[in-house]
Amino acid sequence: MDNETRLRHWRERMEVPLFAASVVFLGCYAVRVLAVDLPQGWRDTFLALTYAMWALFVVDYAVRWRLSGAGTSYPRRHVLDAVMVALPLLRPLRIVRIYESVQRRHAEAKPRLALYARVIAYSGMSAVLLGFAGALTVYAEERGAPGATIKTFGDSVWWTCETLTTVGYGDVVPVTALGRTVAVVMMAGGLALLGAVTGSFSSWLIQTFTLEADKEPPGTPPEAS
């Protein structure tokens, strides 16, 4: 079995465990941010779980690197994976891989409605997860900061909706360096996810209309208006 086959098998086996680990990681982080009155013992437990899930991400990345046989070029060829190991809250951005799989199927004759529908559904779910993670991070950093306008988690969620949809009313804005860094990531993520949804839906419509046009016999006169 060659390296590529072993790597593919590893990815298939780890997809569900890594998704579950991402949910646990995000859940533990959310509890630590939102439950301010949580007893210290429970806070330590959730922190240990957070680090354990992070360690699983690191092990997965190391195994993929080893199985790829790419040597030192692997991090350059898989930048997104490296970013998600450093910032596990960005794991919802794995929607990029799903969108790439749709792009590779554009040449097929039959429109794949189920596949396009899954891309749209996964994009929506990723937007929610990315927004929730961003809202948590910004709220944890902004609350109590001098001159902060994001003082509650509700303020943070409202700001997240503005940022992901690129509306930007400006009524609440981050004032800390980390908050503004998260804002840049959220803007880029919102544009990418919206592009995936609109691009996939438009491609499906084009394929559908193209097939209908190909089925019409040559020389068919246009319908009278």
Side-chain angles (χ1 to χ4, degrees), residues 71 73-74 80 101 122 159 162 184 219:
S73 65
Y74 183 82
L80 184 60
S101 69
Y122 293 157
W159 168 82
E162 293 179 353
V184 173

Side-chain angles (χ1 to χ4, degrees), residues 89-192:
L89 288 176
L90 297 182
R91 292 194 68 85
L93 292 178
R94 292 185 69 87
I95 185 62
V96 173
R97 293 190 180 278
I98 301 171
Y99 185 59
E100 288 176 352
S101 69
V102 174
Q103 293 293 88
R104 289 195 297 269
R105 291 171 170 82
H106 276 178
E108 296 187 9
K110 183 179 179 180
R112 294 174 171 264
L113 175 60
L115 181 58
Y116 286 112
R118 286 201 301 272
V119 170
I120 294 173
Y122 293 157
S123 296
M125 181 179 65
S126 294
V128 171
L129 290 174
L130 179 62
F132 182 59
L136 285 172
T137 304
V138 169
Y139 173 58
E141 185 68 15
E142 293 288 315
R143 60 183 177 187
T149 58
I150 301 176
K151 300 178 180 179
T152 67
F153 185 62
D155 293 337
S156 186
V157 171
W158 172 246
W159 168 82
T160 298
C161 294
E162 293 179 353
T163 305
L164 280 177
T165 56
T166 67
V167 174
Y169 290 116
D171 50 347
V172 287
V173 293
V175 297
T176 63
L178 178 58
R180 291 176 176 176
T181 301
V182 173
V184 173
V185 175
M186 299 278 283
M187 294 173 199
L191 289 173

Side-chain angles (χ1 to χ4, degrees), residues 10-11 14-29 47-66 74 78 80-94 97 133:
W10 173 264
R11 285 175 174 170
M14 292 299 296
E15 194 64 34
V16 173
L18 287 176
F19 174 78
S22 301
V23 173
V24 173
F25 182 95
L26 184 59
C28 292
Y29 181 72
L47 181 61
L49 282 173
T50 302
Y51 282 128
M53 297 303 103
W54 200 341
L56 178 60
F57 302 148
V58 173
V59 170
D60 172 70
Y61 182 78
V63 171
R64 294 190 187 203
W65 189 344
R66 176 68 178 83
Y74 183 82
H78 300 82
L80 184 60
D81 289 340
V83 170
M84 286 188 294
V85 169
L87 302 172
L89 288 176
L90 297 182
R91 292 194 68 85
L93 292 178
R94 292 185 69 87
R97 293 190 180 278

Side-chain angles (χ1 to χ4, degrees), residues 185-208:
V185 175
M186 299 278 283
M187 294 173 199
L191 289 173
L193 291 171
L194 287 174
V197 172
T198 56
S200 298
F201 183 68
S202 299
S203 297
W204 176 78
L205 286 178
I206 292 172
Q207 282 190 332
T208 301

